[in-house]
Amino acid sequence: TLRGVPAGTVEVRVLRVGYVEQKRPVTVTAGQAATLDFELDRTLGKARVLQLYLSIAPWGDGQCGAEAAALHYFGKRAAALEAAEAVWLASLLRNPDLELERAAHTFDPTRLMTIAGALRPLPRWRREDLQLELGEWHPPPVVTARRGPRAAPS
């Protein structure tokens, strides 16, 4: 993995996932990361970098890519997801395993409502409707089935 570089941008996340297959860790300075970030963005463009990231990003449960995650969690293609389902998948990107654990045991829609409130270019009324919908929404059965006894802290 890339060491010493915060994964603050989608470009750096794409680079990190791309380096996962390396046999040995790659140490990159912040300046080198900025150069790689700039070149990736200049070469591919923001839309393509985002598309690339969403096709390779880890989504938990061994799933990589939005299409695989949509099929795994909801049994349908990513293009067929409801808005609430897409927002829930987006909420996993920060730390999929931790977010899945939280969703299985102590699901709180507050974070989903925050994400929905930031969605652009949805009109404000649609974001507000989506936030209300998410207040009643629950994770898919494949996630809630994990609700067995929690492991004792080590």
Side-chain angles (χ1 to χ4, degrees):
T1 61
L2 295 173
R3 288 190 180 175
V5 180
T9 67
V10 171
E11 290 84 359
V12 171
R13 288 176 181 253
V14 167
L15 291 170
R16 278 189 171 188
V17 173
Y19 279 108
V20 166
E21 298 300 319
Q22 296 291 326
K23 299 224 185 283
R24 58 192 167 107
V26 177
T27 302
V28 175
T29 66
Q32 290 169 323
T35 301
L36 290 169
D37 183 328
F38 175 77
E39 285 300 318
L40 188 62
D41 189 39
R42 187 177 66 82
T43 305
L44 299 177
K46 290 270 185 212
R48 178 68 178 120
V49 169
L50 181 59
Q51 182 183 28
L52 181 62
Y53 176 63
L54 292 175
S55 70
I56 63 176
W59 298 81
D61 281 354
Q63 304 303 310
C64 290
E67 195 67 35
L71 287 169
H72 175 71
Y73 295 116
F74 299 106
K76 53 184 156 180
R77 299 185 53 95
L81 291 175
E82 299 293 326
E85 295 166 338
V87 168
W88 181 77
L89 282 179
S91 77
L92 298 181
L93 285 172
R94 181 173 57 181
N95 186 336
D97 295 327
L98 177 63
E99 297 301 333
L100 286 170
E101 181 69 20
R102 285 181 181 160
H105 293 286
T106 58
F107 179 70
D108 177 8
T110 306
R111 182 153 181 268
L112 300 183
M113 291 188 283
T114 300
I115 292 169
L119 288 176
R120 305 291 191 275
L122 285 183
R124 183 177 180 177
W125 67 267
R126 179 62 184 113
R127 290 192 311 263
E128 290 170 352
D129 286 351
L130 181 55
Q131 288 175 312
L132 290 173
E133 180 184 339
L134 287 165
E136 303 295 322
W137 193 83
H138 295 285
V142 70
V143 174
T144 56
R146 299 168 173 242
R147 285 194 177 131
R150 284 189 147 179
S154 46

